Amino acid sequence: MKKVIRMILTLSIIGIFSGGVLSKINDWAVPYIEANKKAATEKAISLVQPEGKNYERIKEAPFEAYKVFDEQNNLIGYSLVYEGNGFQGKIRLMAGVSVDLNKITALEILEQVETPGLGTKVTKEPFTSQFNNLITTPQIDWVKGVKPDKPNEIQAITGATISSKAVVAIINSGIDQLRNFHDSGVK
Amino acid sequence: MKKQVTLSKEFLKGLWDINPIFKQVLGMCPTLAVTVSAINGIAMGLATTFVLVCASLLISTIRKLIPTQVRIASFIVIIATFVTIVDLVMKAKFPELSKALGPFIPLIVVNCLILGRQEAFASKSKPLRALLDALGNGAGFLLALFVLGGIREIIGSRTLLGFQVMPNGFEPWLIMILPAGAFLTLGLLLGFANLYTGRRDRFEKEALQAQYRSVGKEAVFQNDPSEKS
Amino acid sequence: MTASDSEENKQIRFDLTTSPHLHSKWSTQKVMWLVVASLAPSIFTSLLFFGLYQLLIIAVAILFAAGTEYALQVMRNKQPTILDGSAMLTGLLLALTLPPNFSLSATAIGSVVAVGLGKQIFGGLGFNIFNPALVGRAFLQAAFPVQITTWSKPHLAVDTISSATPLAAFKFDHVSTEIGPLFFGNIGGSLGETSALAILAGGFFLIAIRIVNWQIPVSMILGMIIFGGVFHLINPAVNPSPLFHIFAGGFLFGAMFMATDWVTSPITSSGMWIFGLGISLILVVIRLYGGLPEGVMYSILFMNAFVPLINRLTQPAIFGIKQGGQNEKSY
């Protein structure tokens, strides 16, 4: 009996002690972690909406999206965070969209697990800059091997067609969602 | 009572003789998963070493207070506490690194290397020895991860610690930064480590033979694997 | 030990079958050279369609394969056996699976990996689990994914639109290629795989002189007709006909020269059928649902891993013992 009590006591003391230490550390770390997250979001928004000075989360939306404002607090567009399946796993990206939802201002890939050195090219120039001022009506299309000749087309990366297609598909469905949300009247 | 080895030996054995990667072959999951670059290897090595040293020191200090029946549970709670500390600090202060190492920081909890050292050494030794053993093992782990990450980074992305070391004409071997590259590199390194150890043992044995012969005797080795083949 | 003794030893080492051990009239060396001869039509068509530069790729691949074999055998204090031609054959097979105008340094790396990691690390000829040439090809595929999928146009092409292989064209652009060009080989693709005619000529030669068992190629083609046919019947608009599957890409080359490798294929007749059908099933799934247009290499390597298991399961009962009887477990 004495043994059992000692076992319970030891484990309890260790548990209480580590719990106490962790709660202290957690209190210290949480503000920093929140700040890091906020800085990352801000940085991404400023990349996809270069003229934006202010932003506000659209709370009513069933997905992550932000209204972006300029210095005079005029709405200049939206930042849309959307994710979907890539070649090997989820691709999470942020796209800046104009107010009328017909144009993309810029694209930023937030998270991906594509093949290093190949699929990961979708995160870099010159692929990403193709999305600057890209028309989204009726939807974005991709071509392969030739230069795109329509305002709503981008060129897929040689050897990483699937990743390129995935990015296009994710943006398309994201914008569709945003349109539906927009049409439903909630602003 | 076994004869005590010197304190310096207690530290140095972790670097090669019982190197966690090359000799004990422990902690393979982080080893294979994070070593796409030398800096990742160093970060992982440092994080693991920190947890190992703290846990070893603490456990060796309170080793007489912990009942044998619940020792594993106690070890895990202590290790998990330190790992969570590392995880939170990294997320707060080094968000980039934390993102690169991803889920492998929390997984240090189940790294067999750490639990293994507690069970095999820290729970039976005085704090000073436990500290030196943990430092040695941590350093050995760090060294191995750095070598592995360095090789993979040089061949897989032409750089070492972010600086370009291979000429532009060298086409990077993408396989080296894929999981397959981790297995190939580790396998070859283990092979070379065994080759070296085998050769060194043979030379030592031959030297011993020669000594015996010089006094007119024949040395007999028991359980000699080399004589079977 | 006399010269004929060592010749005898080589033969026994190469023989993988269980007892009874019958003496074969072929030596390893002779077999290897006959296989090389059967590859001659494919080499010729590759030079014809893609130019003389391809001869350099072949030469580099053979040279480095043989060099690696020699170096590693010397390192391990073994009698070098490069003259039996098996390493050179590995190099040649590897070269024929590479795209035209492939970089020579990458070819050399592939050869070193094929013989070093694919064969010698297991202990040399007869001990390797995976087809060495395909191990080298898989390594190159993972190491240089862009270069190895960059296809040059064949020289004689007149109406080819792009240099994509028929499989890639089908997968990504939904363009089907006629069976005619597929059969004669004036299409984009790896050096040795484009001309079905040349491969069939070499393959039939090997089957006729009984170096290669007919079961594996036949079961693979039959499997392709069955599995590819089922998918084609379900949805003819999306899934190509089995005939396209057979003549496009490396299927025939794999069936004749890769899957039939003595060391890495099953030894029993029923095992060979399982092996061939399995390759075809995996291949159809990769081609239709995978991320890559082609999957012959992966499906053969995958089935290679199952060969020891297949051999165990299909081992014939010892004469005199009732199948499923009590004594069966005794071995």
Side-chain angles (χ1 to χ4, degrees):
Chain A
M1 202 54 207
K2 212 179 138 199
K3 233 182 198 170
V4 176
I5 290 171
R6 202 181 146 205
M7 273 154 62
I8 294 171
L9 219 62
T10 317
L11 277 180
S12 308
I13 291 169
I14 293 176
I16 290 165
F17 193 71
S18 62
V21 172
L22 282 184
S23 77
K24 279 275 166 242
I25 301 266
N26 196 46
D27 285 348
W28 169 83
V30 163
Y32 286 102
I33 296 172
E34 291 295 323
N36 287 336
K37 254 192 197 153
K38 198 160 167 252
T41 314
E42 246 165 41
K43 197 180 149 213
I45 290 180
S46 73
L47 280 174
V48 296
Q49 293 277 19
E51 278 138 41
K53 288 279 174 277
N54 231 327
Y55 67 93
E56 181 196 328
R57 172 103 193 239
I58 306 175
K59 292 203 176 66
E60 299 85 12
F63 45 91
E64 199 181 340
Y66 301 88
K67 284 179 182 170
V68 184
F69 306 97
D70 67 1
E71 275 161 352
Q72 284 84 38
N73 254 4
N74 297 322
L75 183 67
I76 56 166
Y78 302 96
S79 280
L80 169 76
V81 178
Y82 214 71
E83 61 177 35
N85 285 330
F87 181 52
Q88 286 175 325
K90 285 251 182 302
I91 297 180
R92 196 158 165 268
L93 53 81
M94 181 183 270
V97 191
S98 65
V99 182
D100 56 3
L101 304 182
N102 288 339
K103 208 173 83 178
I104 285 185
T105 47
L107 169 77
E108 181 72 13
I109 309 278
L110 301 175
E111 280 165 31
Q112 48 80 26
V113 281
E114 301 304 287
T115 319
L118 201 59
T120 50
K121 280 184 189 159
V122 297
T123 63
K124 297 190 188 106
E125 301 281 328
F127 183 77
T128 47
S129 58
Q130 293 188 84
F131 288 87
N132 298 350
N133 300 321
L134 192 73
I135 302 295
T136 60
T137 47
Q139 62 165 13
I140 304 169
D141 257 328
W142 56 275
V143 291
K144 200 184 162 211
V146 289
K147 281 261 168 273
D149 52 359
K150 294 198 192 100
N152 67 333
E153 276 181 353
I154 57 120
Q155 188 182 359
I157 297 167
T158 314
T161 320
I162 293 170
S163 303
S164 315
K165 271 162 68 180
V167 169
V168 170
I170 293 166
I171 300 180
N172 276 334
S173 56
I175 288 179
D176 274 353
Q177 286 271 352
L178 198 59
R179 275 192 193 126
N180 289 339
F181 176 68
H182 206 260
D183 292 345
S184 68
V186 193
K187 283 227 170 165
Chain B
M1 187 75 195
K2 227 171 81 182
K3 216 176 99 186
Q4 292 273 20
V5 294
T6 61
L7 289 175
S8 64
K9 184 93 187 169
E10 209 77 87
F11 171 75
L12 288 173
K13 69 176 194 248
L15 293 182
W16 180 258
D17 286 341
I18 59 159
N19 185 299
I21 305 260
F22 296 133
K23 292 302 164 80
Q24 301 181 61
V25 199
L26 287 179
M28 287 295 109
C29 169
T31 306
L32 293 168
V34 303
T35 52
V36 289
S37 65
I39 191 76
N40 278 8
I42 292 176
M44 189 70 202
L46 285 178
T48 311
T49 308
F50 172 77
V51 174
L52 181 59
V53 168
C54 294
S56 284
L57 201 56
L58 186 61
I59 285 167
S60 144
T61 316
I62 60 168
R63 67 185 188 279
K64 292 195 176 128
L65 301 176
I66 302 174
T68 350
Q69 294 90 338
V70 293
R71 66 181 193 287
I72 302 283
S74 314
F75 295 168
I76 286 290
V77 173
I78 291 171
I79 294 168
T81 308
F82 285 115
V83 170
T84 315
I85 292 174
V86 171
D87 192 28
L88 285 173
V89 170
M90 270 193 148
K91 270 192 186 140
K93 288 289 176 190
F94 310 100
E96 287 297 311
L97 212 53
S98 165
K99 209 176 163 189
L101 296 179
F104 294 102
I105 291 292
L107 279 176
I108 297 177
V109 177
V110 285
N111 191 327
C112 345
L113 162 65
I114 297 178
L115 189 61
R117 285 334 283 168
Q118 310 315 325
E119 177 73 2
F121 199 87
S123 60
K124 297 173 190 154
S125 316
K126 293 200 175 105
L128 180 61
R129 282 184 185 273
L131 174 71
L132 286 170
D133 174 76
L135 277 173
N137 270 282
F141 190 66
L142 176 70
L143 199 73
L145 254 60
F146 173 70
V147 171
L148 202 58
I151 293 174
R152 289 179 66 191
E153 192 183 344
I154 291 172
I155 307 180
S157 39
R158 285 201 291 236
T159 56
L160 182 62
L161 294 169
F163 299 105
Q164 186 163 350
V165 289
M166 295 298 260
N168 278 330
F170 177 81
E171 189 63 47
W173 305 12
L174 281 181
I175 191 172
M176 296 305 277
I177 46 176
L178 299 175
F183 282 97
L184 285 179
T185 317
L186 181 67
L188 289 175
L189 281 178
L190 280 175
F192 283 119
N194 286 342
L195 194 73
Y196 169 75
T197 321
R199 206 162 269 182
R200 195 187 58 183
D201 288 354
R202 210 168 59 234
F203 284 139
E204 274 173 9
K205 203 173 289 166
E206 272 162 19
L208 207 60
Q209 277 286 15
Q211 261 183 10
Y212 271 97
R213 286 224 181 86
S214 66
V215 292
K217 280 181 185 163
E218 194 70 21
V220 179
F221 297 100
Q222 277 178 338
N223 301 328
D224 193 345
S226 69
E227 260 149 43
K228 275 178 206 152
S229 57
Chain C
M1 190 190 264
T2 62
S4 69
D5 256 343
S6 68
E7 185 71 19
E8 195 101 342
N9 281 340
K10 267 184 208 160
Q11 283 167 19
I12 291 166
R13 268 189 53 196
F14 187 66
D15 193 3
L16 257 187
T17 47
T18 47
S19 62
H21 294 290
L22 299 176
H23 185 78
S24 162
K25 60 183 165 165
W26 307 107
S27 69
T28 308
Q29 199 172 352
K30 200 166 173 191
V31 167
M32 294 300 167
W33 288 114
L34 282 169
V35 177
V36 171
S38 72
L39 283 167
S42 294
I43 299 172
F44 174 74
T45 51
S46 75
L47 298 180
L48 179 71
F49 293 133
F50 300 113
L52 280 176
Y53 174 83
Q54 320 317 323
L55 206 57
L56 266 178
I57 295 183
I58 295 173
V60 166
I62 293 176
L63 200 71
F64 274 85
T68 311
E69 172 124 320
Y70 184 79
L72 286 175
Q73 279 176 333
V74 167
M75 216 174 100
R76 294 173 55 226
N77 299 323
K78 294 266 148 99
Q79 181 74 32
T81 56
I82 49 166
L83 285 180
D84 72 12
S86 68
M88 298 186 207
L89 180 60
T90 298
L92 177 61
L93 284 171
L94 171 70
L96 288 177
T97 62
L98 296 175
N101 302 324
F102 194 61
S103 124
L104 291 181
S105 56
T107 307
I109 294 166
S111 274
V112 172
V113 170
V115 175
L117 293 184
K119 184 173 152 195
Q120 286 299 330
I121 216 159
F122 293 100
L125 185 63
F127 297 97
N128 47 310
I129 306 166
F130 298 105
N131 187 319
L134 289 181
V135 170
R137 176 66 161 72
F139 185 90
L140 289 177
Q141 174 92 48
F144 311 108
V146 177
Q147 292 89 323
I148 210 156
T149 46
T150 307
W151 310 97
S152 306
K153 263 186 204 171
H155 280 324
L156 302 179
V158 273
D159 54 354
T160 338
I161 319 154
S162 80
S163 55
T165 63
L167 282 168
F170 191 87
K171 179 144 202 140
F172 298 124
D173 308 323
H174 305 282
V175 176
S176 195
T177 311
E178 297 286 316
I179 297 296
L182 286 177
F183 188 69
F184 292 106
N186 192 16
I187 44 166
S190 300
L191 292 186
E193 74 179 24
T194 58
S195 169
L197 183 65
I199 296 163
L200 288 174
F204 281 131
F205 168 68
L206 285 184
I207 293 173
I209 60 173
R210 298 197 161 200
I211 282 184
V212 156
N213 289 305
W214 59 269
Q215 284 97 330
I216 291 176
V218 167
S219 63
M220 273 177 74
I221 292 170
L222 205 67
M224 192 45 106
I225 291 171
I226 298 168
F227 302 125
V230 166
F231 282 107
H232 181 59
L233 287 179
I234 293 172
N235 193 349
V238 179
N239 301 327
S241 73
L243 217 56
F244 176 79
H245 272 308
I246 289 171
F247 288 114
F251 180 78
L252 280 175
F253 192 78
M256 292 297 182
F257 298 108
M258 292 297 188
T260 52
D261 175 24
W262 284 8
V263 180
T264 56
S265 60
I267 47 178
T268 58
S269 176
S270 54
M272 289 178 199
W273 279 93
I274 298 173
F275 183 70
L277 293 173
I279 292 174
S280 289
L281 178 62
I282 296 168
L283 176 60
V284 170
V285 173
I286 293 180
R287 279 187 180 177
L288 295 182
Y289 298 103
L292 294 163
E294 176 64 308
V296 173
M297 167 179 79
Y298 293 122
S299 45
I300 294 178
L301 285 174
F302 195 75
M303 286 308 285
N304 278 164
F306 282 102
V307 165
L309 191 68
I310 294 173
N311 278 341
R312 247 184 101 108
L313 287 179
T314 58
Q315 206 155 37
I318 300 162
F319 185 69
I321 288 179
K322 220 169 108 187
Q323 192 113 33
Q326 266 185 332
N327 290 338
E328 211 198 5
K329 279 179 191 158
S330 63
Y331 62 84

